[in-house]
C-alpha cells in the first residue's frame, strides 16, 4: 500500500485565496502586529514568512523587532499600545522569548479579542468548553487538512503523541470535539508503540526525528506529522519515518509541505476573524 500524501502547501494556498476574497469585502484591511524579541534565527524565518502570508492575503502587517536584552516591562508596554490600536486586529508575539522574559504574563497581556494565536487563558478556556472564537493555528490546520481529505474523526481512535499547550493538548480537544476517541501520549507513556498501534488517526507532535517507525503504525492509518526537526544533515524533517510509514498508512502528511503551511494559513484566518468581529461590533 502506498499512502495518499496530504498536500498542506496546496491547501494553504487555496485557504489564503479564500481569505483574500473575504478581506476584499471588509471596509478596512485587517491588521496583524507581529512582535519578535531577540535574534533567534528560526524565529526570524517564521516572522518573515508571516509578513509574506499577510501580503498574500492583503492583510496589513506591522512587524516589531525588540532587542535581545529587552525587559518584560518593555514588551508589556508595546503590547499595551497594540491592544489599544484601532488598526491592529491581531497581535502575535513570536515564541520562544529570551530567557529573562517569562512567557505567561506576556501571553496574558494580549487582549483576548486580538489573541490570534489563541494562547490567552480565556481563549484556551473557550476551546476547552467547545466555543472557541480562535482555535490555535497548528491543531486547527490539522483539522482543516482532515476535512479536505474527507477524514472524519467521529468514531475513530485518535492518538496524539505530545501534550504541549500549543499543539498536543488543543489537538486532542479538537479531535474530541469532532467525536474522536482520543488518547494522549507523552514522555512518561510506558507503551508508546502499543498506543500508536491503536490509532486510526495518529498525530505526532514531539520533536524527535524517527520517533514513529512503521512497526508503530496500523495498516491503513492516517498519519499526521506536526514536528519540525532538523536532521544531522540540517534538513527539515518530522517525527515520522516517512518512507517506511507511507508504505503502511492510508494518508500521511509530509515534512516540509504538510502541517507547517496550514499553521500559517490558520493565523491569517484568525486575523480575518478578528477583523470581521471588530468591524461588526
Ligand atoms: P514541546 O512543547 O517540546 O512538547 C513535546 C511533547 O512531546 C511533550 O508533551 C513531551 O512530553 C512529548 N515527548 C517528548 N519525548 C517523548 C517521547 N519519547 N515519547 C512520547 N512523547 C514525548 O513541543 P511542541 O511545541 O508541542 O512542538 C512539537 C513539535 O512540533 C516540534 O517539532 C515543533 O517544532 C513542532 N511544531 C510544528 C508546528 C507547525 O506549524 N508544523 C507548530 C508548532 C510546533 P512531556 O510533556 O512529558 O515532556
Amino acid at each position: 500500500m502506498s499512502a495518499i500524501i496530504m498536500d498542506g502547501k496546496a491547501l494553504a494556498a487555496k485557504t489564503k485565496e479564500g481569505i483574500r476574497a473575504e478581506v476584499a469585502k471588509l471596509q478596512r484591511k485587517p491588521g496583524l502586529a507581529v512582535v519578535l524579541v531577540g535574534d533567534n534565527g528560526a524565529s526570524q524565518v517564521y516572522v518573515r514568512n508571516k509578513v509574506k502570508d499577510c501580503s498574500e492575503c492583503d492583510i496589513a502587517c506591522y512587524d516589531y523587532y525588540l532587542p535581545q536584552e529587552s525587559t518584560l516591562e518593555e514588551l508589556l508596554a508595546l503590547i499595551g499600545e497594540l491592544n489599544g490600536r484601532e488598526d491592529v486586529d491581531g497581535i502575535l508575539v513570536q515564541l520562544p522569548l529570551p530567557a529573562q522574559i517569562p512567557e505567561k504574563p506576556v501571553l496574558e497581556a494580549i487582549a483576548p479579542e486580538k489573541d490570534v494565536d489563541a494562547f490567552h487563558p480565556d481563549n484556551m478556556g473557550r476551546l476547552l468548553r467547545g466555543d472557541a472564537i480562535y482555535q490555535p493555528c497548528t491543531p486547527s490546520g490539522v483539522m482543516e487538512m482532515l476535512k479536505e481529505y474527507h477524514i472524519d474523526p467521529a468514531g475513530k481512535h485518535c492518538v496524539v503523541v505530545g501534550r504541549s499547550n500549543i499543539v498536543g493538548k488543543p489537538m486532542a480537544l479538537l479531535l474530541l470535539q469532532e467525536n474522536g476517541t482520543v488518547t494522549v501520549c507523552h514522555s512518561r507513556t510506558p507503551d508508546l508503540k502499543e498506543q500508536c498501534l491503536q490509532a486510526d488517526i495518529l498525530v505526532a507532535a514531539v520533536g524527535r526525528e524517527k520517533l514513529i517507525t512503521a512497526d508503530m503504525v496500523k495498516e491503513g492509518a492516517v498519519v499526521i506529522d506536526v514536528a519540525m526537526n532538523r536532521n544531522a544533515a540540517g534538513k527539515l524533517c518530522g517525527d515520522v519515518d516517512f518512507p517506511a510509514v507511507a508504505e503502511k498508512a492510508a494518508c500521511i502528511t509530509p515534512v516540509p509541505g504538510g502541517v507547517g503551511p496550514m499553521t500559517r494559513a490558520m493565523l491569517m484566518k484568525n486575523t480575518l476573524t478578528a477583523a470581521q468581529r471588530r468591524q461588526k461590533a
Side-chain angles (χ1 to χ4, degrees), residues 46 137-139 160-169 184-189 192 204-208 211-212 225-229 237-239 255 258-264:
Y46 296 148
C137 301
T138 300
V160 179
V161 190
R163 57 170 166 181
S164 70
N165 285 334
I166 63 169
V167 187
K169 282 183 202 164
V184 182
C185 302
H186 47 78
S187 66
R188 307 288 186 90
T189 302
L192 186 64
V206 171
R208 190 185 289 192
L211 178 74
I212 308 294
D225 195 349
V226 172
M228 293 202 293
N229 313 310
C237 66
D239 286 343
V255 180
V259 177
M262 282 309 292
T263 298
R264 290 166 47 189

Side-chain angles (χ1 to χ4, degrees), residues 206-223:
V206 171
R208 190 185 289 192
E209 187 193 353
K210 293 200 177 135
L211 178 74
I212 308 294
T213 47
D215 61 329
M216 298 167 78
V217 175
K218 183 161 82 175
E219 196 80 40
V222 173
V223 179

Side-chain angles (χ1 to χ4, degrees), residues 47-79:
V47 167
R48 268 205 301 278
N49 284 337
K50 282 162 190 168
V51 173
K52 183 167 162 271
D53 291 331
C54 281
S55 129
E56 285 171 16
C57 295
D58 205 21
I59 289 173
C61 188
Y62 310 106
D63 41 342
Y64 291 85
Y65 298 90
L66 300 189
Q68 178 76 26
E69 61 280 5
S70 303
T71 63
L72 172 64
E73 290 66 32
E74 285 163 341
L75 181 54
L76 292 181
L78 174 60
I79 293 171

Side-chain angles (χ1 to χ4, degrees), residues 2 31 56 60 64 139 144 161 191 197:
S2 200
E56 285 171 16
Y64 291 85
E144 289 295 315
V161 190
D191 51 354
L197 276 169

Side-chain angles (χ1 to χ4, degrees), residues 28 30 33 50-51 62 70 80 89 93 115 119 124-126 165 192-193 198 203 213 231 252 263 274 278:
R28 172 181 68 68
K50 282 162 190 168
V51 173
Y62 310 106
S70 303
D89 298 290
V93 176
D115 171 40
F119 295 160
M124 293 180 86
R126 281 185 167 276
N165 285 334
L192 186 64
K193 178 177 169 184
Q198 304 300 314
V203 182
T213 47
N231 67 15
I252 188 167
T263 298
R278 288 181 73 232

